[in-house]
């Protein structure tokens, strides 16, 4: 007991000492920052005055060259000072956060070549003495901090830039510090750390994802710090922390990139939807890093094709899942256009364009053939390594250069023609030139009919029955291919593109034209990987040629198709990164043990999820005899969840149509919101949301609505029930009228009410 008091006194005193250092550094930084701001304002004023003074004279003359040098002397320090102000401002923000909780852990580590154990404190950011360079607190991303996440008491090591460092750990301690006060601490073995994690997980969900630096698990840390692989693929169960791991990995790479010049604009996150982007938006800033670029597939389609009118991913899923709108041919078309065979057809088509589909025409100038169609085709076909648009551009330049060589002679002929026409005898020169311009404009217009490609119009030609079968020769096509061709031809009559056709056209654009917007991207993070198909990954491969990839998915959460582990083999093949690995995270931290076990019934095969084991209420099934009684039971459960002070209560429906219908019935009974679009929305309070919009999110209480046999009957529907049920942190309730879904049972003890 005495030792505990001594340790407690020591830790309280140490915290006070650290807080004082932070305050001192804050004071110095604020003073320095204020002085630099004054200096910048003064320099700007001086530069403006100097510029104004010299504006009347010829500043750009040789005589006043020295004036330019003087202005540059103002500008250079000004730019440096502004950069320094920004750096200091970021440091000030970091220190202000540290005042609340400077660190969360400590290890005692003895290096092999030393006799004494060193106290290593670990926090969200480092704290260093600027003069002596002594480390008071180590950033959680620092090499030595990995010991905390990966080792218990005993021998340990970490990998530093200089090589592997070995030693011994004799203490692992974790702290709860709030508002600069030490609430409690404990010496952590695995069991105690699990209890700490349970406490963290038992808290209510937030509308924004939180950082997990205090609770990163060993297997998660290995993924976060992996810098050897060009492609890391993570197959993670629902609630295994995939997204958190990905974002903390981004933060780690940016921290490590201080020496390798990896910045926020070198990283991009591919997000499934705007709601997900919003949900994760706080993580990197909380970790002290700038938010990186985030893109949805819709953004990519728009940037590449410049199209505005196409079906979004959410609208595509809505049509796919809506039983009332379900179209067998529509589904077949989507499935076919997502398979590797269709990618091969598109590749063949792109290669075939200059051979058969571009209508080269003989080019005439001054009454003579300048270039025949045969020679033009031969010229374009010659350099197959260059993009087709580049080859066609070069052809256009060649033709126009040839025209230019003969233009003087042509103008002479036109002058003679004008001169012979007495109407223009006094305007001979001007009229000849106008005729020449008219001729050239008409010629360019004719040339560009085959040098400037309309990819949408070309894509239409692919689905000509005779041509399609010729280009798909030798391939295994679906039995309903004729129906798919008819369906596609009918849709392509309109400007509005179906999602799968928008993807195909995007791919063709990237195959045919130059697109270098993302050449600076070095790291790409793709979440919800299972919801992308071969065509998506082909697009990613072309868009980010120099990037390493971190890809996270769960084959058990696929919507609209069936997937197995071969998905990751396919991704590896398409992206073509030799150094690649697949990591599996089977432990779920999100759900209570009761919810996790219940959710497993929706998994196919022998899939086993290792639940962290946090306890809670058993899931319950509620049957409504009538629509009114059904709605009343939902309203009562909402009130019950509110009574438990849950911050987010999500009513999950299969489709947007179902969500809208339920909302219209409940809005008069209880305060509730509808989340149905692709835009930003508040995911706190009580709301109704389609199942595809809920992916990647988590809520305190989940109510799965309309769980009848009409809505959830197919094997794909079974997967939807798994997705919906695993959104719940603490409480899960299921509601239905009519005949219950065949995947649910009311006979299980404790699961009906």
């Amino acid at each position: 007991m005495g030792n505990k008091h001594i340790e407690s006194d020591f830790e309280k005193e140490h915290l006070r000492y650290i807080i004082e250092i932070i305050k001192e550094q804050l004071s110095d930084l604020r003073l320095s920052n204020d002085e630099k701001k004054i200096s910048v304002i003064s320099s700007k004023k001086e530069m403006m005055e100097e510029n104004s003074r010299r504006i009347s004279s010829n500043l750009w003359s040789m005589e006043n060259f020295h004036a330019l040098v003087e202005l540059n002397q103002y500008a250079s320090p000004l730019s440096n000072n502004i950069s320094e102000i920004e750096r200091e401002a970021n440091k000030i923000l970091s220190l202000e956060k540290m005042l609340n909780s400077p660190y969360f852990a400590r290890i005692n580590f003895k290096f092999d070549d030393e006799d004494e154990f060193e106290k290593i404190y670990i926090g969200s950011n480092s704290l260093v003495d600027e003069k002596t360079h002594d480390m008071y607190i180590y950033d959680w991303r620092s090499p030595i901090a990995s010991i905390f996440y990966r080792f218990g008491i005993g021998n340990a090591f970490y990998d530093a830039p200089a090589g592997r460092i070995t030693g011994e750990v004799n203490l692992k301690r974790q702290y709860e510090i709030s508002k600069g006060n030490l609430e409690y601490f404990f010496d952590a073995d695995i069991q105690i750390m699990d209890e700490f994690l349970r406490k963290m997980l038992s808290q209510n969900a937030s509308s924004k994802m939180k950082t997990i630096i205090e609770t990163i698990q060993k297997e998660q840390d290995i993924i976060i710090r992996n810098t050897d692989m060009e492609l890391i693929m993570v197959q993670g169960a629902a609630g295994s922390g995939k997204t958190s791991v990905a974002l903390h990995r981004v933060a780690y790479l940016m921290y490590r990139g201080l020496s390798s010049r990896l910045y926020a604009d070198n990283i991009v996150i591919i997000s499934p939807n705007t709601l997900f982007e919003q949900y994760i938006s706080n993580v990197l800033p909380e970790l002290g890093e700038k938010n990186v670029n985030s893109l949805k597939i819709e953004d990519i389609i728009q940037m590449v094709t410049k199209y505005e009118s196409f079906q979004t991913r959410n609208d595509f899923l809505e049509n796919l899942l809506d039983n009332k709108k379900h179209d067998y041919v529509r589904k077949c078309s989507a499935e076919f256009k997502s398979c590797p065979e269709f990618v091969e057809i598109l590749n063949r088509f792109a290669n075939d364009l200059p051979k058969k589909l571009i209508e080269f025409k003989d080019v005439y100038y001054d009454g003579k053939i300048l270039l025949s169609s045969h020679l033009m085709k031969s010229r374009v076909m010659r350099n197959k390594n260059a993009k087709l648009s580049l080859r066609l551009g070069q052809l256009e330049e060649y033709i126009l250069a040839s025209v230019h060589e003969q233009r003087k002679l042509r103008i002479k002929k036109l002058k003679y023609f004008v001169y012979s026409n007495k109407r223009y005898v006094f305007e001979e020169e001007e009229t000849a030139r106008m005729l020449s311009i008219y001729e050239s404009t008409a010629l360019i217009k004719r040339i560009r009919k085959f040098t400037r490609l309309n990819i949408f119009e070309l894509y239409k030609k692919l689905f000509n029955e005779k041509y399609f079968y010729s280009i798909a020769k030798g391939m295994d096509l679906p039995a309903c291919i004729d129906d798919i061709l008819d369906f596609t031809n009918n849709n392509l009559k309109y400007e509005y593109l179906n999602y799968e056709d928008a993807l195909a056209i995007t791919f063709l654009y990237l195959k045919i034209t130059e697109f270098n917007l993302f050449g600076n991207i070095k790291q790409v993070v793709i979440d919800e990987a299972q919801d992308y198909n071969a065509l998506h990954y082909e697009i990613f491969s072309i868009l980010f040629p120099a990037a390493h990839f971190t890809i996270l998915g769960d084959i058990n959460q696929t919507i609209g198709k069936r997937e197995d582990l071969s998905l990751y083999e396919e991704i590896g093949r398409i992206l073509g990164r030799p150094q690649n690995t697949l990591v599996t995270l089977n432990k779920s931290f999100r759900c209570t043990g009761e919810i996790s076990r219940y959710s497993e019934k929706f998994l196919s095969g022998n899939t086993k999820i290792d639940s962290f084991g946090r306890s809670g209420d058993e899931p319950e099934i509620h049957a409504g005899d009538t629509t009114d009684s059904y709605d009343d039971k939902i309203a009562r459960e909402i009130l019950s969840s509110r009574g438990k002070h849950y911050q987010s209560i999500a009513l999950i429906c299969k489709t947007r149509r179902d969500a809208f219908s339920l909302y219209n019935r409940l809005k008069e009974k209880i305060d509730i919101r509808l989340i149905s679009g692709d835009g930003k929305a508040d995911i706190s309070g009580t709301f109704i949301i389609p199942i595809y919009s809920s992916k990647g999110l988590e809520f305190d209480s989940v109510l799965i609505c309309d769980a009848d046999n009409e809505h959830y009957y197919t094997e794909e529907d079974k997967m939807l029930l798994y997705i919906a049920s695993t959104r719940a942190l603490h409480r899960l309730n299921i509601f239905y009228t009519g005949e219950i879904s065949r995947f649910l049972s009311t006979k299980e003890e404790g699961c009906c009410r």
Side-chain angles (χ1 to χ4, degrees), residues 108-111 113-119 168 170:
N108 286 359
F109 184 71
K110 181 171 70 68
F111 297 87
D113 57 350
E114 295 184 2
D115 297 325
E116 294 184 2
F117 284 88
E118 184 179 340
K119 298 179 181 68
E168 181 188 352
N170 74 351

Side-chain angles (χ1 to χ4, degrees), residues 183 257 270 343 382 434 481 534 536 575 645 669 672 678 725:
E183 301 291 336
I270 307 297
V343 175
R382 201 178 300 159
M434 283 181 64
I481 189 64
H536 287 100
L575 295 181
H645 304 292
K669 293 177 180 282
I672 198 166
D678 291 329
S725 61

Side-chain angles (χ1 to χ4, degrees), residues 406-607:
Q406 302 182 37
R407 194 161 177 257
K408 286 184 180 178
L409 181 62
R410 180 60 180 164
I411 288 177
K412 282 183 180 180
K413 289 183 178 181
L414 289 171
K415 280 183 183 178
Y416 180 78
F417 169 77
V418 173
Y419 182 76
S420 62
N421 191 326
K422 293 180 179 179
R423 284 178 61 191
Y424 303 104
V425 69
F426 298 110
E427 302 169 342
E428 173 187 329
E429 187 81 25
E430 292 81 358
T431 306
R433 291 192 178 278
M434 283 181 64
L435 286 172
S436 176
I437 292 168
Y438 177 80
E439 275 190 341
S440 297
T441 303
L443 180 64
I444 289 170
K445 194 173 179 180
R446 287 198 303 275
I447 293 169
R448 287 180 175 175
K449 283 184 178 180
F450 54 81
T451 62
R452 304 291 175 92
L453 301 179
N454 185 325
I455 295 177
F456 177 75
E457 291 299 323
L458 288 170
Y459 182 67
K460 285 182 180 179
K461 294 182 179 182
L462 172 61
F463 298 95
N464 173 280
E465 187 175 332
K466 185 177 178 181
Y467 178 74
F468 184 88
Y469 278 111
S470 70
I471 205 164
K473 188 176 180 180
M475 301 185 71
D476 188 17
L477 300 172
C480 59
I481 189 64
D482 288 337
D483 293 329
I484 292 172
L485 295 179
D486 289 340
F487 174 79
T488 305
N489 282 319
N490 285 331
N491 281 322
L492 293 177
K493 291 176 182 177
Y494 308 99
E495 292 296 317
Y496 184 79
L497 287 172
N498 280 336
Y499 177 71
E500 65 271 21
D501 291 317
L503 277 177
I505 290 174
T506 302
F507 175 73
L508 286 174
Y509 262 94
L510 293 172
K511 289 288 290 186
I512 294 167
T513 65
E514 293 290 326
F515 190 87
N516 300 315
L517 191 60
F518 300 117
N520 68 317
I521 298 298
K522 299 177 182 178
Q523 292 283 344
V524 179
V525 176
I526 301 175
D527 210 340
E528 301 294 340
Q530 74 283 349
D531 285 340
Y532 300 115
N533 56 50
L535 197 51
H536 287 100
Y537 288 105
E538 293 283 356
I539 290 169
F540 298 147
S541 181
I542 300 171
L543 277 178
F544 311 110
H548 291 187
F549 286 81
T550 303
I551 293 179
L552 310 105
D554 180 10
I555 56 175
N556 295 311
Q557 295 186 66
T558 308
I559 295 181
K561 58 188 176 110
R562 304 298 301 277
E563 287 291 2
D564 55 33
L565 289 175
S566 65
L567 166 71
Y568 300 105
E569 293 177 12
E570 184 73 6
I571 293 171
R573 182 190 66 77
I574 294 171
L575 295 181
R577 300 307 190 263
Q579 299 295 319
N580 67 82
T581 186
L582 173 63
V583 182
T584 301
L585 297 176
N586 275 333
K587 181 174 281 188
S588 176
F589 299 96
R590 177 185 296 141
C591 307
T592 63
E594 290 80 4
I595 294 172
S596 188
R597 285 190 294 273
Y598 187 81
S599 301
E600 282 186 24
K601 68 165 47 185
F602 307 123
L603 296 176
S604 302
N606 297 318
T607 306

